[in-house]
Amino acid sequence: MTGWPGLDAVVLAGGRSSRLGGSPKAELVIGGTRLVDIAVDAAAAVAAQRIVVVGPESLGAGRENHTTSAMLTAREEPPFGGPVAGLAAGLTALDRAGVDHSAAESDAPANRWVLVLACDLPHAGDAAVALIDAARRAEATVDGVCLDDGRPQWLTAVYRRDALARAFDSLHDPNGASMRTLVHGLALTSIVAADGLADDVDTWDDLERARRARPPHSPATAPATEGADMSTASHSPESLDEWIAALAAELGIDPAAVPVGDILDLARDVAHGVARPAAPLSTFLVGLAAGAGNGSIAELSARATALAEGWPPDPTA
């Protein structure tokens, strides 16, 4: 997509993830990529000049050199003040960063737009493209465009910057405020969120469905850890399915009950974050924990992945 000089983005990643038992949804991995990075990549792909990640500072760490967009981080005060408070913090971070005055026309408030994305959108890339395309065609009287999957998705939307400023000026306190209250006076249009475009990840079941829809990279093409001696022979997805079916039958297990995507995601994340031999051991431990009734495969895999991603490098390696 060609650049749009007046576009910035705010990625909201500061929620409690209460329906995930407190596991940070921004850190969950789908298809080899954290959810927060899916949103950041989506904003960069539509040429957002600056991207603010609102949430723990660690979420933006290491992203600075992975995109041509300027990366910023912010946090609502107090934390967990809700999406409106998070959006206010993101806009404040953009204001403090200033704008590139070499493009005076696009920097005029009436010409600037802000793409708003929640951090739990597996299809954030397609959603961002659809929103920006609609915003480019919008009449001058339109304050913003949001997705609609039967109800307006105000956290998957793009707004005129000056319209958001007016909305916040009329709001007494952003902490705990609803998006409905914030956008009540704005002239918004919507586009239909077809084919699950607005699907989000609120529960472990949502995560499992998203992983099935966005499978991980084939183990044959995943980067091998230095010093690894495991086989890298190429195998097709069909041969993998045949093996799973045969082994499940041998062990008396229903093949449909095997969450292949979750297990492969976990094995890859542990192999890259800890050590390659730790991958099969970790999947075995997750299986034992699931069998003991300590949680679902999806939940336990996400917990193991979070532990692996924070695991310190081996100092003797």
Side-chain angles (χ1 to χ4, degrees), residues 18-55:
S18 57
R19 296 175 68 185
L20 291 167
S23 296
K25 66 171 63 177
E27 299 276 9
L28 298 178
V29 175
I30 295 178
T33 306
R34 297 185 307 170
L35 276 170
V36 66
D37 293 327
I38 291 175
V40 169
D41 290 343
V46 293
Q49 289 182 319
R50 300 167 302 173
I51 303 170
V52 183
V53 176
V54 181

Side-chain angles (χ1 to χ4, degrees), residues 153-250:
Q153 299 297 319
W154 296 305
L155 297 181
T156 312
V158 60
Y159 301 93
R160 292 188 189 273
R161 180 65 182 87
D162 62 342
L164 282 178
R166 294 196 312 270
F168 274 105
D169 286 343
S170 64
L171 194 65
H172 175 65
D173 183 2
N175 287 304
S178 70
M179 283 297 296
R180 179 184 298 275
T181 299
L182 178 68
V183 305
H184 175 72
L186 301 184
L188 302 181
T189 187
S190 63
I191 54 178
V192 176
D195 301 322
L197 196 61
D199 287 353
D200 57 8
V201 175
D202 281 332
T203 67
W204 296 113
D205 287 340
D206 292 339
L207 177 63
E208 185 168 354
R209 281 193 294 271
R211 283 177 167 171
R212 290 184 182 277
R214 183 172 176 168
H217 297 297
S218 166
T221 59
T225 304
E226 185 176 350
D229 58 2
M230 298 178 71
S231 171
T232 57
S234 177
H235 298 283
S236 70
E238 291 77 10
S239 66
L240 179 61
D241 289 341
E242 291 172 2
W243 164 248
I244 295 297
L247 180 58
E250 180 69 23

Side-chain angles (χ1 to χ4, degrees), residues 81-95:
V84 176
L87 180 54
L91 296 179
T92 297
L94 290 173
D95 290 342

